[in-house]
PDB file of all heavy atoms in Angstrom:
ATOM      1  N   HIS A1002     102.360  67.576  87.791  1.00 97.00           N
ATOM      2  CA  HIS A1002     101.218  68.374  87.339  1.00 97.00           C
ATOM      3  C   HIS A1002     100.526  67.718  86.145  1.00 97.00           C
ATOM      4  O   HIS A1002      99.290  67.629  86.093  1.00 97.00           O
ATOM      5  CB  HIS A1002     101.694  69.788  86.975  1.00 97.00           C
ATOM      6  CG  HIS A1002     100.571  70.752  86.737  1.00 97.00           C
ATOM      7  ND1 HIS A1002     100.780  72.061  86.387  1.00 97.00           N
ATOM      8  CD2 HIS A1002      99.220  70.596  86.785  1.00 97.00           C
ATOM      9  CE1 HIS A1002      99.612  72.676  86.254  1.00 97.00           C
ATOM     10  NE2 HIS A1002      98.654  71.809  86.475  1.00 97.00           N
ATOM     11  N   MET A1003     101.323  67.252  85.185  1.00 96.00           N
ATOM     12  CA  MET A1003     100.744  66.626  83.994  1.00 96.00           C
ATOM     13  C   MET A1003      99.981  65.345  84.351  1.00 96.00           C
ATOM     14  O   MET A1003      98.902  65.078  83.808  1.00 96.00           O
ATOM     15  CB  MET A1003     101.839  66.330  82.967  1.00 96.00           C
ATOM     16  CG  MET A1003     102.554  67.570  82.443  1.00 96.00           C
ATOM     17  SD  MET A1003     101.437  68.800  81.735  1.00 96.00           S
ATOM     18  CE  MET A1003     100.864  67.905  80.297  1.00 96.00           C
ATOM     19  N   ASP A1004     100.535  64.576  85.285  1.00 96.00           N
ATOM     20  CA  ASP A1004      99.857  63.346  85.729  1.00 96.00           C
ATOM     21  C   ASP A1004      98.536  63.693  86.423  1.00 96.00           C
ATOM     22  O   ASP A1004      97.517  63.017  86.215  1.00 96.00           O
ATOM     23  CB  ASP A1004     100.750  62.552  86.681  1.00 96.00           C
ATOM     24  CG  ASP A1004     101.920  61.884  85.969  1.00 96.00           C
ATOM     25  OD1 ASP A1004     101.920  61.848  84.715  1.00 96.00           O
ATOM     26  OD2 ASP A1004     102.851  61.425  86.658  1.00 96.00           O
ATOM     27  N   ALA A1005      98.560  64.753  87.238  1.00 96.00           N
ATOM     28  CA  ALA A1005      97.346  65.169  87.952  1.00 96.00           C
ATOM     29  C   ALA A1005      96.289  65.675  86.977  1.00 96.00           C
ATOM     30  O   ALA A1005      95.094  65.409  87.142  1.00 96.00           O
ATOM     31  CB  ALA A1005      97.692  66.252  88.976  1.00 96.00           C
ATOM     32  N   LEU A1006      96.735  66.388  85.961  1.00 94.00           N
ATOM     33  CA  LEU A1006      95.814  66.898  84.943  1.00 94.00           C
ATOM     34  C   LEU A1006      95.123  65.730  84.226  1.00 94.00           C
ATOM     35  O   LEU A1006      93.915  65.778  83.959  1.00 94.00           O
ATOM     36  CB  LEU A1006      96.596  67.755  83.947  1.00 94.00           C
ATOM     37  CG  LEU A1006      95.834  68.721  83.055  1.00 94.00           C
ATOM     38  CD1 LEU A1006      95.020  69.717  83.859  1.00 94.00           C
ATOM     39  CD2 LEU A1006      96.806  69.455  82.141  1.00 94.00           C
ATOM     40  N   GLU A1007      95.884  64.694  83.967  1.00 92.00           N
ATOM     41  CA  GLU A1007      95.342  63.499  83.302  1.00 92.00           C
ATOM     42  C   GLU A1007      94.352  62.770  84.217  1.00 92.00           C
ATOM     43  O   GLU A1007      93.300  62.301  83.782  1.00 92.00           O
ATOM     44  CB  GLU A1007      96.491  62.566  82.922  1.00 92.00           C
ATOM     45  CG  GLU A1007      96.072  61.342  82.134  1.00 92.00           C
ATOM     46  CD  GLU A1007      95.495  61.691  80.761  1.00 92.00           C
ATOM     47  OE1 GLU A1007      95.915  62.706  80.159  1.00 92.00           O
ATOM     48  OE2 GLU A1007      94.590  60.960  80.322  1.00 92.00           O
ATOM     49  N   ARG A1008      94.697  62.748  85.493  1.00 93.00           N
ATOM     50  CA  ARG A1008      93.905  61.983  86.472  1.00 93.00           C
ATOM     51  C   ARG A1008      92.669  62.742  86.958  1.00 93.00           C
ATOM     52  O   ARG A1008      91.593  62.175  87.107  1.00 93.00           O
ATOM     53  CB  ARG A1008      94.812  61.633  87.657  1.00 93.00           C
ATOM     54  CG  ARG A1008      94.232  60.643  88.645  1.00 93.00           C
ATOM     55  CD  ARG A1008      95.246  60.270  89.720  1.00 93.00           C
ATOM     56  NE  ARG A1008      95.530  61.372  90.631  1.00 93.00           N
ATOM     57  CZ  ARG A1008      96.649  62.107  90.616  1.00 93.00           C
ATOM     58  NH1 ARG A1008      97.594  61.848  89.731  1.00 93.00           N
ATOM     59  NH2 ARG A1008      96.830  63.074  91.500  1.00 93.00           N
ATOM     60  N   LEU A1009      92.831  64.052  87.196  1.00 94.00           N
ATOM     61  CA  LEU A1009      91.784  64.843  87.849  1.00 94.00           C
ATOM     62  C   LEU A1009      91.044  65.800  86.920  1.00 94.00           C
ATOM     63  O   LEU A1009      89.985  66.309  87.263  1.00 94.00           O
ATOM     64  CB  LEU A1009      92.400  65.648  89.006  1.00 94.00           C
ATOM     65  CG  LEU A1009      93.114  64.843  90.099  1.00 94.00           C
ATOM     66  CD1 LEU A1009      93.837  65.768  91.060  1.00 94.00           C
ATOM     67  CD2 LEU A1009      92.114  63.969  90.840  1.00 94.00           C
ATOM     68  N   GLY A1010      91.637  66.057  85.757  1.00 93.00           N
ATOM     69  CA  GLY A1010      90.985  66.965  84.821  1.00 93.00           C
ATOM     70  C   GLY A1010      91.381  68.426  85.016  1.00 93.00           C
ATOM     71  O   GLY A1010      92.287  68.742  85.786  1.00 93.00           O
ATOM     72  N   LYS A1025      93.685  68.237  76.907  1.00 88.00           N
ATOM     73  CA  LYS A1025      92.900  67.501  77.888  1.00 88.00           C
ATOM     74  C   LYS A1025      91.415  67.771  77.726  1.00 88.00           C
ATOM     75  O   LYS A1025      90.588  66.854  77.788  1.00 88.00           O
ATOM     76  CB  LYS A1025      93.354  67.886  79.315  1.00 88.00           C
ATOM     77  CG  LYS A1025      92.615  67.149  80.425  1.00 88.00           C
ATOM     78  CD  LYS A1025      92.803  65.646  80.318  1.00 88.00           C
ATOM     79  CE  LYS A1025      92.017  64.910  81.398  1.00 88.00           C
ATOM     80  NZ  LYS A1025      92.043  63.451  81.191  1.00 88.00           N
ATOM     81  N   GLN A1028      90.233  65.949  74.708  1.00 77.00           N
ATOM     82  CA  GLN A1028      90.171  64.505  75.000  1.00 77.00           C
ATOM     83  C   GLN A1028      88.860  64.175  75.720  1.00 77.00           C
ATOM     84  O   GLN A1028      88.196  63.184  75.387  1.00 77.00           O
ATOM     85  CB  GLN A1028      91.368  64.109  75.867  1.00 77.00           C
ATOM     86  CG  GLN A1028      91.389  62.654  76.289  1.00 77.00           C
ATOM     87  CD  GLN A1028      92.461  62.361  77.320  1.00 77.00           C
ATOM     88  OE1 GLN A1028      93.314  63.204  77.614  1.00 77.00           O
ATOM     89  NE2 GLN A1028      92.422  61.187  77.893  1.00 77.00           N
TER      90      GLN A1028
END
Side-chain angles (χ1 to χ4, degrees):
H1002 190 181
M1003 297 304 293
D1004 288 348
L1006 198 58
E1007 184 65 31
R1008 190 175 69 255
L1009 302 172
K1025 181 60 182 172
Q1028 177 189 351

